[in-house]
Amino acid sequence: MDTPVSPWKDRAGPQDRPVPDAGSEDFLHHRELLFSIVYNMLGTVADTEDVVQETWLSWASVRDKEIANPRAYLVRIAVNHALSQMRRARRSRESYIGPWLPEPVLTEPDTPDTAIRTESVSLAMLVVLETLTPLQRAVFVLREAFAYDHAEIAAILGRSPAAVRQLAHRAKERVEARRPRYDLDRSTQRIVTERFLDAAIGGDLDALMDVLAPEVAMWSDGGGKRRAALRVIEGRDKVARLVAAVSARLPTFDARPVQINGGPGVVLFLGGTLYAAAVFDPAPDGERVRGIYGLINPDKLARLAESVHPPAARLAP
């Protein structure tokens, strides 16, 4: 039996896609939802695409049957494939060099990642979700990001509603202990990000100390492929001195502000090549930065590099 051809695999252009039948149209109609749920569970685009492809193959094997609720069926398949992938990924990350960060995605208007824009989870939140068990994370994502009720999640996971309620309670407690909820508008987030960038580009230690929260933490994900700190750097003094030292050491670079995972960030180019992406997590007061997430692992920047180009203006530290 021939393997069913995915109607969306490898982001083929419309001219390359087969004409979808009714079953394919059901899948395509829900593809963005599936992609967004799975990405929020896994934090990597390549693994997400693999899971969505596995979901398509599972769907293709039953699409000729009468499925009363294709959306519920597809979500259940995708979530369970994602749970299996999450467990495999966590075992492989035991040998990862340095801090592991989720893969950043561009969420500006008119970019390909419309699925992720629909239900953007910040990079800072994705880092917190890494502390949950796979089942807790699945329940939290479905409940908090996609507003599924406990009975619906129970059906997806094959658990009782009581068990799901307990998982949801524990997940929410763990998340709020590490990241209490607060709301800052986009304008405030952008202003504090710009203040940090101005201080960092100038290598101004006093200005950096002023814009960093006392409890600030800095992640640098190089994956052993580029030079990066091998542990999370914590505390305003240590982070400020490290940022100032890196700024002084870097050659002239191009910087471009972008929106990453629904929040303000920046991409840095060296010699016209995308070298790094950074996301800044403002403190609840909106005045300081409490989290810096720097990605320099080239494997995690490949997707951004396809969509972001260097700005015309050059910035020098």
Side-chain angles (χ1 to χ4, degrees), residues 8-11 31 35 38-39 42 44-56 113 303:
W8 64 274
K9 180 66 174 170
D10 295 329
R11 298 180 178 273
R31 179 192 171 275
F35 195 98
V38 173
Y39 171 78
L42 300 179
T44 60
V45 173
D47 286 346
T48 296
E49 290 179 334
D50 287 346
V51 166
V52 176
Q53 173 67 2
E54 289 175 0
T55 302
W56 159 252
D113 293 309
R303 189 179 183 86

mmCIF file with all atom_site columns, all heavy atoms in Angstrom, residues 8-11 31 35 38-39 42 44-56 113 303:
data_model
loop_
_atom_site.group_PDB
_atom_site.id
_atom_site.type_symbol
_atom_site.label_atom_id
_atom_site.label_alt_id
_atom_site.label_comp_id
_atom_site.label_asym_id
_atom_site.label_entity_id
_atom_site.label_seq_id
_atom_site.pdbx_PDB_ins_code
_atom_site.Cartn_x
_atom_site.Cartn_y
_atom_site.Cartn_z
_atom_site.occupancy
_atom_site.B_iso_or_equiv
_atom_site.pdbx_formal_charge
_atom_site.auth_seq_id
_atom_site.auth_comp_id
_atom_site.auth_asym_id
_atom_site.auth_atom_id
_atom_site.pdbx_PDB_model_num
ATOM 1   N N   . TRP A 1 8   ? 0.268  19.027 2.666  1.00 0.00 ? 8   TRP A N   1
ATOM 2   C CA  . TRP A 1 8   ? 0.971  20.244 3.092  1.00 0.00 ? 8   TRP A CA  1
ATOM 3   C C   . TRP A 1 8   ? 2.442  20.017 3.353  1.00 0.00 ? 8   TRP A C   1
ATOM 4   O O   . TRP A 1 8   ? 3.175  20.951 3.613  1.00 0.00 ? 8   TRP A O   1
ATOM 5   C CB  . TRP A 1 8   ? 0.338  20.781 4.375  1.00 0.00 ? 8   TRP A CB  1
ATOM 6   C CG  . TRP A 1 8   ? 0.487  19.834 5.517  1.00 0.00 ? 8   TRP A CG  1
ATOM 7   C CD1 . TRP A 1 8   ? -0.326 18.797 5.834  1.00 0.00 ? 8   TRP A CD1 1
ATOM 8   C CD2 . TRP A 1 8   ? 1.547  19.815 6.475  1.00 0.00 ? 8   TRP A CD2 1
ATOM 9   N NE1 . TRP A 1 8   ? 0.148  18.128 6.929  1.00 0.00 ? 8   TRP A NE1 1
ATOM 10  C CE2 . TRP A 1 8   ? 1.291  18.736 7.349  1.00 0.00 ? 8   TRP A CE2 1
ATOM 11  C CE3 . TRP A 1 8   ? 2.673  20.607 6.687  1.00 0.00 ? 8   TRP A CE3 1
ATOM 12  C CZ2 . TRP A 1 8   ? 2.128  18.409 8.397  1.00 0.00 ? 8   TRP A CZ2 1
ATOM 13  C CZ3 . TRP A 1 8   ? 3.504  20.281 7.749  1.00 0.00 ? 8   TRP A CZ3 1
ATOM 14  C CH2 . TRP A 1 8   ? 3.238  19.198 8.589  1.00 0.00 ? 8   TRP A CH2 1
ATOM 15  N N   . LYS A 1 9   ? 2.923  18.784 3.259  1.00 0.00 ? 9   LYS A N   1
ATOM 16  C CA  . LYS A 1 9   ? 4.290  18.435 3.641  1.00 0.00 ? 9   LYS A CA  1
ATOM 17  C C   . LYS A 1 9   ? 5.306  19.344 2.981  1.00 0.00 ? 9   LYS A C   1
ATOM 18  O O   . LYS A 1 9   ? 5.223  19.680 1.807  1.00 0.00 ? 9   LYS A O   1
ATOM 19  C CB  . LYS A 1 9   ? 4.566  16.974 3.256  1.00 0.00 ? 9   LYS A CB  1
ATOM 20  C CG  . LYS A 1 9   ? 5.972  16.489 3.611  1.00 0.00 ? 9   LYS A CG  1
ATOM 21  C CD  . LYS A 1 9   ? 6.191  16.447 5.097  1.00 0.00 ? 9   LYS A CD  1
ATOM 22  C CE  . LYS A 1 9   ? 7.553  15.813 5.420  1.00 0.00 ? 9   LYS A CE  1
ATOM 23  N NZ  . LYS A 1 9   ? 7.902  15.952 6.813  1.00 0.00 ? 9   LYS A NZ  1
ATOM 24  N N   . ASP A 1 10  ? 6.312  19.750 3.797  1.00 0.00 ? 10  ASP A N   1
ATOM 25  C CA  . ASP A 1 10  ? 7.425  20.583 3.339  1.00 0.00 ? 10  ASP A CA  1
ATOM 26  C C   . ASP A 1 10  ? 6.991  21.935 2.837  1.00 0.00 ? 10  ASP A C   1
ATOM 27  O O   . ASP A 1 10  ? 7.706  22.565 2.060  1.00 0.00 ? 10  ASP A O   1
ATOM 28  C CB  . ASP A 1 10  ? 8.224  19.863 2.242  1.00 0.00 ? 10  ASP A CB  1
ATOM 29  C CG  . ASP A 1 10  ? 8.891  18.606 2.784  1.00 0.00 ? 10  ASP A CG  1
ATOM 30  O OD1 . ASP A 1 10  ? 9.254  18.582 3.980  1.00 0.00 ? 10  ASP A OD1 1
ATOM 31  O OD2 . ASP A 1 10  ? 9.023  17.651 2.012  1.00 0.00 ? 10  ASP A OD2 1
ATOM 32  N N   . ARG A 1 11  ? 5.803  22.398 3.281  1.00 0.00 ? 11  ARG A N   1
ATOM 33  C CA  . ARG A 1 11  ? 5.332  23.728 2.922  1.00 0.00 ? 11  ARG A CA  1
ATOM 34  C C   . ARG A 1 11  ? 5.372  23.955 1.406  1.00 0.00 ? 11  ARG A C   1
ATOM 35  O O   . ARG A 1 11  ? 5.806  24.988 0.911  1.00 0.00 ? 11  ARG A O   1
ATOM 36  C CB  . ARG A 1 11  ? 6.166  24.805 3.635  1.00 0.00 ? 11  ARG A CB  1
ATOM 37  C CG  . ARG A 1 11  ? 6.042  24.714 5.137  1.00 0.00 ? 11  ARG A CG  1
ATOM 38  C CD  . ARG A 1 11  ? 6.868  25.768 5.805  1.00 0.00 ? 11  ARG A CD  1
ATOM 39  N NE  . ARG A 1 11  ? 6.692  25.699 7.249  1.00 0.00 ? 11  ARG A NE  1
ATOM 40  C CZ  . ARG A 1 11  ? 5.740  26.314 7.916  1.00 0.00 ? 11  ARG A CZ  1
ATOM 41  N NH1 . ARG A 1 11  ? 4.877  27.065 7.294  1.00 0.00 ? 11  ARG A NH1 1
ATOM 42  N NH2 . ARG A 1 11  ? 5.647  26.210 9.217  1.00 0.00 ? 11  ARG A NH2 1
ATOM 43  N N   . ARG A 1 31  ? -5.273 22.109 10.462 1.00 0.00 ? 31  ARG A N   1
ATOM 44  C CA  . ARG A 1 31  ? -3.814 21.997 10.544 1.00 0.00 ? 31  ARG A CA  1
ATOM 45  C C   . ARG A 1 31  ? -3.188 23.069 11.436 1.00 0.00 ? 31  ARG A C   1
ATOM 46  O O   . ARG A 1 31  ? -2.293 22.794 12.241 1.00 0.00 ? 31  ARG A O   1
ATOM 47  C CB  . ARG A 1 31  ? -3.194 22.076 9.154  1.00 0.00 ? 31  ARG A CB  1
ATOM 48  C CG  . ARG A 1 31  ? -1.670 21.997 9.200  1.00 0.00 ? 31  ARG A CG  1
ATOM 49  C CD  . ARG A 1 31  ? -1.019 22.365 7.882  1.00 0.00 ? 31  ARG A CD  1
ATOM 50  N NE  . ARG A 1 31  ? 0.407  22.478 8.077  1.00 0.00 ? 31  ARG A NE  1
ATOM 51  C CZ  . ARG A 1 31  ? 1.035  23.560 8.509  1.00 0.00 ? 31  ARG A CZ  1
ATOM 52  N NH1 . ARG A 1 31  ? 0.345  24.643 8.785  1.00 0.00 ? 31  ARG A NH1 1
ATOM 53  N NH2 . ARG A 1 31  ? 2.337  23.580 8.679  1.00 0.00 ? 31  ARG A NH2 1
ATOM 54  N N   . PHE A 1 35  ? -0.866 22.405 14.657 1.00 0.00 ? 35  PHE A N   1
ATOM 55  C CA  . PHE A 1 35  ? 0.508  22.895 14.706 1.00 0.00 ? 35  PHE A CA  1
ATOM 56  C C   . PHE A 1 35  ? 0.735  23.718 15.970 1.00 0.00 ? 35  PHE A C   1
ATOM 57  O O   . PHE A 1 35  ? 1.740  23.561 16.671 1.00 0.00 ? 35  PHE A O   1
ATOM 58  C CB  . PHE A 1 35  ? 0.805  23.727 13.455 1.00 0.00 ? 35  PHE A CB  1
ATOM 59  C CG  . PHE A 1 35  ? 2.271  23.978 13.226 1.00 0.00 ? 35  PHE A CG  1
ATOM 60  C CD1 . PHE A 1 35  ? 2.989  23.195 12.338 1.00 0.00 ? 35  PHE A CD1 1
ATOM 61  C CD2 . PHE A 1 35  ? 2.934  24.981 13.906 1.00 0.00 ? 35  PHE A CD2 1
ATOM 62  C CE1 . PHE A 1 35  ? 4.344  23.415 12.129 1.00 0.00 ? 35  PHE A CE1 1
ATOM 63  C CE2 . PHE A 1 35  ? 4.289  25.213 13.706 1.00 0.00 ? 35  PHE A CE2 1
ATOM 64  C CZ  . PHE A 1 35  ? 4.994  24.425 12.812 1.00 0.00 ? 35  PHE A CZ  1
ATOM 65  N N   . VAL A 1 38  ? 0.725  21.514 19.216 1.00 0.00 ? 38  VAL A N   1
ATOM 66  C CA  . VAL A 1 38  ? 1.916  20.667 19.316 1.00 0.00 ? 38  VAL A CA  1
ATOM 67  C C   . VAL A 1 38  ? 3.164  21.507 19.564 1.00 0.00 ? 38  VAL A C   1
ATOM 68  O O   . VAL A 1 38  ? 4.017  21.143 20.374 1.00 0.00 ? 38  VAL A O   1
ATOM 69  C CB  . VAL A 1 38  ? 2.062  19.798 18.046 1.00 0.00 ? 38  VAL A CB  1
ATOM 70  C CG1 . VAL A 1 38  ? 3.377  19.036 18.068 1.00 0.00 ? 38  VAL A CG1 1
ATOM 71  C CG2 . VAL A 1 38  ? 0.893  18.828 17.938 1.00 0.00 ? 38  VAL A CG2 1
ATOM 72  N N   . TYR A 1 39  ? 3.291  22.643 18.890 1.00 0.00 ? 39  TYR A N   1
ATOM 73  C CA  . TYR A 1 39  ? 4.455  23.510 19.126 1.00 0.00 ? 39  TYR A CA  1
ATOM 74  C C   . TYR A 1 39  ? 4.503  23.947 20.595 1.00 0.00 ? 39  TYR A C   1
ATOM 75  O O   . TYR A 1 39  ? 5.567  23.957 21.216 1.00 0.00 ? 39  TYR A O   1
ATOM 76  C CB  . TYR A 1 39  ? 4.420  24.733 18.218 1.00 0.00 ? 39  TYR A CB  1
ATOM 77  C CG  . TYR A 1 39  ? 5.490  25.751 18.587 1.00 0.00 ? 39  TYR A CG  1
ATOM 78  C CD1 . TYR A 1 39  ? 6.819  25.554 18.211 1.00 0.00 ? 39  TYR A CD1 1
ATOM 79  C CD2 . TYR A 1 39  ? 5.174  26.869 19.353 1.00 0.00 ? 39  TYR A CD2 1
ATOM 80  C CE1 . TYR A 1 39  ? 7.801  26.460 18.583 1.00 0.00 ? 39  TYR A CE1 1
ATOM 81  C CE2 . TYR A 1 39  ? 6.156  27.777 19.727 1.00 0.00 ? 39  TYR A CE2 1
ATOM 82  C CZ  . TYR A 1 39  ? 7.463  27.573 19.343 1.00 0.00 ? 39  TYR A CZ  1
ATOM 83  O OH  . TYR A 1 39  ? 8.433  28.470 19.723 1.00 0.00 ? 39  TYR A OH  1
ATOM 84  N N   . LEU A 1 42  ? 5.897  21.073 22.525 1.00 0.00 ? 42  LEU A N   1
ATOM 85  C CA  . LEU A 1 42  ? 7.255  20.605 22.253 1.00 0.00 ? 42  LEU A CA  1
ATOM 86  C C   . LEU A 1 42  ? 8.310  21.710 22.234 1.00 0.00 ? 42  LEU A C   1
ATOM 87  O O   . LEU A 1 42  ? 9.462  21.483 22.602 1.00 0.00 ? 42  LEU A O   1
ATOM 88  C CB  . LEU A 1 42  ? 7.294  19.863 20.911 1.00 0.00 ? 42  LEU A CB  1
ATOM 89  C CG  . LEU A 1 42  ? 6.400  18.628 20.791 1.00 0.00 ? 42  LEU A CG  1
ATOM 90  C CD1 . LEU A 1 42  ? 6.542  18.020 19.398 1.00 0.00 ? 42  LEU A CD1 1
ATOM 91  C CD2 . LEU A 1 42  ? 6.743  17.608 21.856 1.00 0.00 ? 42  LEU A CD2 1
ATOM 92  N N   . THR A 1 44  ? 9.746  23.040 19.634 1.00 0.00 ? 44  THR A N   1
ATOM 93  C CA  . THR A 1 44  ? 10.625 23.001 18.468 1.00 0.00 ? 44  THR A CA  1
ATOM 94  C C   . THR A 1 44  ? 9.783  22.812 17.216 1.00 0.00 ? 44  THR A C   1
ATOM 95  O O   . THR A 1 44  ? 8.844  22.007 17.196 1.00 0.00 ? 44  THR A O   1
ATOM 96  C CB  . THR A 1 44  ? 11.661 21.854 18.542 1.00 0.00 ? 44  THR A CB  1
ATOM 97  O OG1 . THR A 1 44  ? 10.978 20.600 18.609 1.00 0.00 ? 44  THR A OG1 1
ATOM 98  C CG2 . THR A 1 44  ? 12.555 21.997 19.763 1.00 0.00 ? 44  THR A CG2 1
ATOM 99  N N   . VAL A 1 45  ? 10.137 23.537 16.169 1.00 0.00 ? 45  VAL A N   1
ATOM 100 C CA  . VAL A 1 45  ? 9.356  23.498 14.935 1.00 0.00 ? 45  VAL A CA  1
ATOM 101 C C   . VAL A 1 45  ? 9.538  22.184 14.195 1.00 0.00 ? 45  VAL A C   1
ATOM 102 O O   . VAL A 1 45  ? 8.573  21.592 13.697 1.00 0.00 ? 45  VAL A O   1
ATOM 103 C CB  . VAL A 1 45  ? 9.717  24.696 14.039 1.00 0.00 ? 45  VAL A CB  1
ATOM 104 C CG1 . VAL A 1 45  ? 9.029  24.583 12.676 1.00 0.00 ? 45  VAL A CG1 1
ATOM 105 C CG2 . VAL A 1 45  ? 9.318  26.001 14.711 1.00 0.00 ? 45  VAL A CG2 1
ATOM 106 N N   . ALA A 1 46  ? 10.788 21.692 14.112 1.00 0.00 ? 46  ALA A N   1
ATOM 107 C CA  . ALA A 1 46  ? 11.027 20.455 13.364 1.00 0.00 ? 46  ALA A CA  1
ATOM 108 C C   . ALA A 1 46  ? 10.263 19.288 13.982 1.00 0.00 ? 46  ALA A C   1
ATOM 109 O O   . ALA A 1 46  ? 9.621  18.502 13.266 1.00 0.00 ? 46  ALA A O   1
ATOM 110 C CB  . ALA A 1 46  ? 12.522 20.154 13.322 1.00 0.00 ? 46  ALA A CB  1
ATOM 111 N N   . ASP A 1 47  ? 10.311 19.170 15.310 1.00 0.00 ? 47  ASP A N   1
ATOM 112 C CA  . ASP A 1 47  ? 9.560  18.090 15.966 1.00 0.00 ? 47  ASP A CA  1
ATOM 113 C C   . ASP A 1 47  ? 8.058  18.274 15.773 1.00 0.00 ? 47  ASP A C   1
ATOM 114 O O   . ASP A 1 47  ? 7.312  17.306 15.624 1.00 0.00 ? 47  ASP A O   1
ATOM 115 C CB  . ASP A 1 47  ? 9.884  18.053 17.459 1.00 0.00 ? 47  ASP A CB  1
ATOM 116 C CG  . ASP A 1 47  ? 11.266 17.484 17.749 1.00 0.00 ? 47  ASP A CG  1
ATOM 117 O OD1 . ASP A 1 47  ? 11.858 16.872 16.839 1.00 0.00 ? 47  ASP A OD1 1
ATOM 118 O OD2 . ASP A 1 47  ? 11.753 17.656 18.883 1.00 0.00 ? 47  ASP A OD2 1
ATOM 119 N N   . THR A 1 48  ? 7.619  19.529 15.799 1.00 0.00 ? 48  THR A N   1
ATOM 120 C CA  . THR A 1 48  ? 6.190  19.804 15.587 1.00 0.00 ? 48  THR A CA  1
ATOM 121 C C   . THR A 1 48  ? 5.768  19.358 14.198 1.00 0.00 ? 48  THR A C   1
ATOM 122 O O   . THR A 1 48  ? 4.724  18.721 14.028 1.00 0.00 ? 48  THR A O   1
ATOM 123 C CB  . THR A 1 48  ? 5.906  21.304 15.774 1.00 0.00 ? 48  THR A CB  1
ATOM 124 O OG1 . THR A 1 48  ? 6.178  21.659 17.136 1.00 0.00 ? 48  THR A OG1 1
ATOM 125 C CG2 . THR A 1 48  ? 4.460  21.636 15.454 1.00 0.00 ? 48  THR A CG2 1
ATOM 126 N N   . GLU A 1 49  ? 6.571  19.690 13.192 1.00 0.00 ? 49  GLU A N   1
ATOM 127 C CA  . GLU A 1 49  ? 6.221  19.283 11.824 1.00 0.00 ? 49  GLU A CA  1
ATOM 128 C C   . GLU A 1 49  ? 6.195  17.766 11.696 1.00 0.00 ? 49  GLU A C   1
ATOM 129 O O   . GLU A 1 49  ? 5.347  17.213 10.995 1.00 0.00 ? 49  GLU A O   1
ATOM 130 C CB  . GLU A 1 49  ? 7.193  19.920 10.841 1.00 0.00 ? 49  GLU A CB  1
ATOM 131 C CG  . GLU A 1 49  ? 7.001  21.428 10.716 1.00 0.00 ? 49  GLU A CG  1
ATOM 132 C CD  . GLU A 1 49  ? 7.972  22.078 9.749  1.00 0.00 ? 49  GLU A CD  1
ATOM 133 O OE1 . GLU A 1 49  ? 9.073  21.519 9.537  1.00 0.00 ? 49  GLU A OE1 1
ATOM 134 O OE2 . GLU A 1 49  ? 7.625  23.145 9.213  1.00 0.00 ? 49  GLU A OE2 1
ATOM 135 N N   . ASP A 1 50  ? 7.138  17.083 12.376 1.00 0.00 ? 50  ASP A N   1
ATOM 136 C CA  . ASP A 1 50  ? 7.140  15.619 12.341 1.00 0.00 ? 50  ASP A CA  1
ATOM 137 C C   . ASP A 1 50  ? 5.859  15.057 12.958 1.00 0.00 ? 50  ASP A C   1
ATOM 138 O O   . ASP A 1 50  ? 5.253  14.116 12.425 1.00 0.00 ? 50  ASP A O   1
ATOM 139 C CB  . ASP A 1 50  ? 8.354  15.074 13.101 1.00 0.00 ? 50  ASP A CB  1
ATOM 140 C CG  . ASP A 1 50  ? 9.655  15.277 12.346 1.00 0.00 ? 50  ASP A CG  1
ATOM 141 O OD1 . ASP A 1 50  ? 9.604  15.586 11.136 1.00 0.00 ? 50  ASP A OD1 1
ATOM 142 O OD2 . ASP A 1 50  ? 10.727 15.150 12.975 1.00 0.00 ? 50  ASP A OD2 1
ATOM 143 N N   . VAL A 1 51  ? 5.442  15.638 14.084 1.00 0.00 ? 51  VAL A N   1
ATOM 144 C CA  . VAL A 1 51  ? 4.232  15.151 14.752 1.00 0.00 ? 51  VAL A CA  1
ATOM 145 C C   . VAL A 1 51  ? 2.993  15.416 13.894 1.00 0.00 ? 51  VAL A C   1
ATOM 146 O O   . VAL A 1 51  ? 2.110  14.557 13.794 1.00 0.00 ? 51  VAL A O   1
ATOM 147 C CB  . VAL A 1 51  ? 4.087  15.793 16.143 1.00 0.00 ? 51  VAL A CB  1
ATOM 148 C CG1 . VAL A 1 51  ? 2.679  15.578 16.707 1.00 0.00 ? 51  VAL A CG1 1
ATOM 149 C CG2 . VAL A 1 51  ? 5.111  15.216 17.100 1.00 0.00 ? 51  VAL A CG2 1
ATOM 150 N N   . VAL A 1 52  ? 2.923  16.587 13.285 1.00 0.00 ? 52  VAL A N   1
ATOM 151 C CA  . VAL A 1 52  ? 1.769  16.884 12.439 1.00 0.00 ? 52  VAL A CA  1
ATOM 152 C C   . VAL A 1 52  ? 1.754  15.953 11.228 1.00 0.00 ? 52  VAL A C   1
ATOM 153 O O   . VAL A 1 52  ? 0.686  15.515 10.773 1.00 0.00 ? 52  VAL A O   1
ATOM 154 C CB  . VAL A 1 52  ? 1.758  18.368 12.028 1.00 0.00 ? 52  VAL A CB  1
ATOM 155 C CG1 . VAL A 1 52  ? 0.615  18.659 11.066 1.00 0.00 ? 52  VAL A CG1 1
ATOM 156 C CG2 . VAL A 1 52  ? 1.629  19.259 13.261 1.00 0.00 ? 52  VAL A CG2 1
ATOM 157 N N   . GLN A 1 53  ? 2.929  15.630 10.689 1.00 0.00 ? 53  GLN A N   1
ATOM 158 C CA  . GLN A 1 53  ? 2.988  14.664 9.590  1.00 0.00 ? 53  GLN A CA  1
ATOM 159 C C   . GLN A 1 53  ? 2.527  13.281 10.049 1.00 0.00 ? 53  GLN A C   1
ATOM 160 O O   . GLN A 1 53  ? 1.781  12.600 9.334  1.00 0.00 ? 53  GLN A O   1
ATOM 161 C CB  . GLN A 1 53  ? 4.416  14.599 9.041  1.00 0.00 ? 53  GLN A CB  1
ATOM 162 C CG  . GLN A 1 53  ? 4.657  13.515 8.003  1.00 0.00 ? 53  GLN A CG  1
ATOM 163 C CD  . GLN A 1 53  ? 3.920  13.741 6.685  1.00 0.00 ? 53  GLN A CD  1
ATOM 164 O OE1 . GLN A 1 53  ? 3.242  14.758 6.524  1.00 0.00 ? 53  GLN A OE1 1
ATOM 165 N NE2 . GLN A 1 53  ? 4.052  12.805 5.765  1.00 0.00 ? 53  GLN A NE2 1
ATOM 166 N N   . GLU A 1 54  ? 2.940  12.861 11.248 1.00 0.00 ? 54  GLU A N   1
ATOM 167 C CA  . GLU A 1 54  ? 2.468  11.577 11.786 1.00 0.00 ? 54  GLU A CA  1
ATOM 168 C C   . GLU A 1 54  ? 0.947  11.599 11.969 1.00 0.00 ? 54  GLU A C   1
ATOM 169 O O   . GLU A 1 54  ? 0.267  10.588 11.740 1.00 0.00 ? 54  GLU A O   1
ATOM 170 C CB  . GLU A 1 54  ? 3.152  11.296 13.131 1.00 0.00 ? 54  GLU A CB  1
ATOM 171 C CG  . GLU A 1 54  ? 4.624  10.961 13.026 1.00 0.00 ? 54  GLU A CG  1
ATOM 172 C CD  . GLU A 1 54  ? 5.280  10.821 14.391 1.00 0.00 ? 54  GLU A CD  1
ATOM 173 O OE1 . GLU A 1 54  ? 4.570  10.990 15.409 1.00 0.00 ? 54  GLU A OE1 1
ATOM 174 O OE2 . GLU A 1 54  ? 6.485  10.541 14.444 1.00 0.00 ? 54  GLU A OE2 1
ATOM 175 N N   . THR A 1 55  ? 0.439  12.749 12.380 1.00 0.00 ? 55  THR A N   1
ATOM 176 C CA  . THR A 1 55  ? -1.004 12.891 12.553 1.00 0.00 ? 55  THR A CA  1
ATOM 177 C C   . THR A 1 55  ? -1.714 12.734 11.217 1.00 0.00 ? 55  THR A C   1
ATOM 178 O O   . THR A 1 55  ? -2.763 12.078 11.123 1.00 0.00 ? 55  THR A O   1
ATOM 179 C CB  . THR A 1 55  ? -1.333 14.256 13.177 1.00 0.00 ? 55  THR A CB  1
ATOM 180 O OG1 . THR A 1 55  ? -0.652 14.373 14.431 1.00 0.00 ? 55  THR A OG1 1
ATOM 181 C CG2 . THR A 1 55  ? -2.833 14.421 13.393 1.00 0.00 ? 55  THR A CG2 1
ATOM 182 N N   . TRP A 1 56  ? -1.140 13.334 10.170 1.00 0.00 ? 56  TRP A N   1
ATOM 183 C CA  . TRP A 1 56  ? -1.722 13.191 8.832  1.00 0.00 ? 56  TRP A CA  1
ATOM 184 C C   . TRP A 1 56  ? -1.750 11.723 8.407  1.00 0.00 ? 56  TRP A C   1
ATOM 185 O O   . TRP A 1 56  ? -2.757 11.238 7.879  1.00 0.00 ? 56  TRP A O   1
ATOM 186 C CB  . TRP A 1 56  ? -0.934 14.025 7.823  1.00 0.00 ? 56  TRP A CB  1
ATOM 187 C CG  . TRP A 1 56  ? -1.134 13.547 6.412  1.00 0.00 ? 56  TRP A CG  1
ATOM 188 C CD1 . TRP A 1 56  ? -0.246 12.895 5.615  1.00 0.00 ? 56  TRP A CD1 1
ATOM 189 C CD2 . TRP A 1 56  ? -2.336 13.645 5.623  1.00 0.00 ? 56  TRP A CD2 1
ATOM 190 N NE1 . TRP A 1 56  ? -0.793 12.586 4.403  1.00 0.00 ? 56  TRP A NE1 1
ATOM 191 C CE2 . TRP A 1 56  ? -2.074 13.030 4.381  1.00 0.00 ? 56  TRP A CE2 1
ATOM 192 C CE3 . TRP A 1 56  ? -3.599 14.186 5.875  1.00 0.00 ? 56  TRP A CE3 1
ATOM 193 C CZ2 . TRP A 1 56  ? -3.041 12.961 3.381  1.00 0.00 ? 56  TRP A CZ2 1
ATOM 194 C CZ3 . TRP A 1 56  ? -4.556 14.105 4.866  1.00 0.00 ? 56  TRP A CZ3 1
ATOM 195 C CH2 . TRP A 1 56  ? -4.279 13.501 3.644  1.00 0.00 ? 56  TRP A CH2 1
ATOM 196 N N   . ASP A 1 113 ? 4.196  31.849 9.974  1.00 0.00 ? 113 ASP A N   1
ATOM 197 C CA  . ASP A 1 113 ? 3.792  31.150 11.189 1.00 0.00 ? 113 ASP A CA  1
ATOM 198 C C   . ASP A 1 113 ? 2.447  31.623 11.724 1.00 0.00 ? 113 ASP A C   1
ATOM 199 O O   . ASP A 1 113 ? 2.299  31.969 12.894 1.00 0.00 ? 113 ASP A O   1
ATOM 200 C CB  . ASP A 1 113 ? 4.871  31.286 12.257 1.00 0.00 ? 113 ASP A CB  1
ATOM 201 C CG  . ASP A 1 113 ? 6.142  30.560 11.867 1.00 0.00 ? 113 ASP A CG  1
ATOM 202 O OD1 . ASP A 1 113 ? 6.030  29.385 11.502 1.00 0.00 ? 113 ASP A OD1 1
ATOM 203 O OD2 . ASP A 1 113 ? 7.217  31.168 11.919 1.00 0.00 ? 113 ASP A OD2 1
ATOM 204 N N   . ARG A 1 303 ? 15.152 28.654 10.794 1.00 0.00 ? 303 ARG A N   1
ATOM 205 C CA  . ARG A 1 303 ? 13.823 29.072 10.344 1.00 0.00 ? 303 ARG A CA  1
ATOM 206 C C   . ARG A 1 303 ? 13.699 30.599 10.343 1.00 0.00 ? 303 ARG A C   1
ATOM 207 O O   . ARG A 1 303 ? 13.142 31.185 9.413  1.00 0.00 ? 303 ARG A O   1
ATOM 208 C CB  . ARG A 1 303 ? 12.759 28.457 11.247 1.00 0.00 ? 303 ARG A CB  1
ATOM 209 C CG  . ARG A 1 303 ? 11.331 28.652 10.746 1.00 0.00 ? 303 ARG A CG  1
ATOM 210 C CD  . ARG A 1 303 ? 10.373 27.981 11.713 1.00 0.00 ? 303 ARG A CD  1
ATOM 211 N NE  . ARG A 1 303 ? 9.009  28.076 11.260 1.00 0.00 ? 303 ARG A NE  1
ATOM 212 C CZ  . ARG A 1 303 ? 8.430  27.220 10.413 1.00 0.00 ? 303 ARG A CZ  1
ATOM 213 N NH1 . ARG A 1 303 ? 9.132  26.227 9.909  1.00 0.00 ? 303 ARG A NH1 1
ATOM 214 N NH2 . ARG A 1 303 ? 7.174  27.372 10.059 1.00 0.00 ? 303 ARG A NH2 1
#
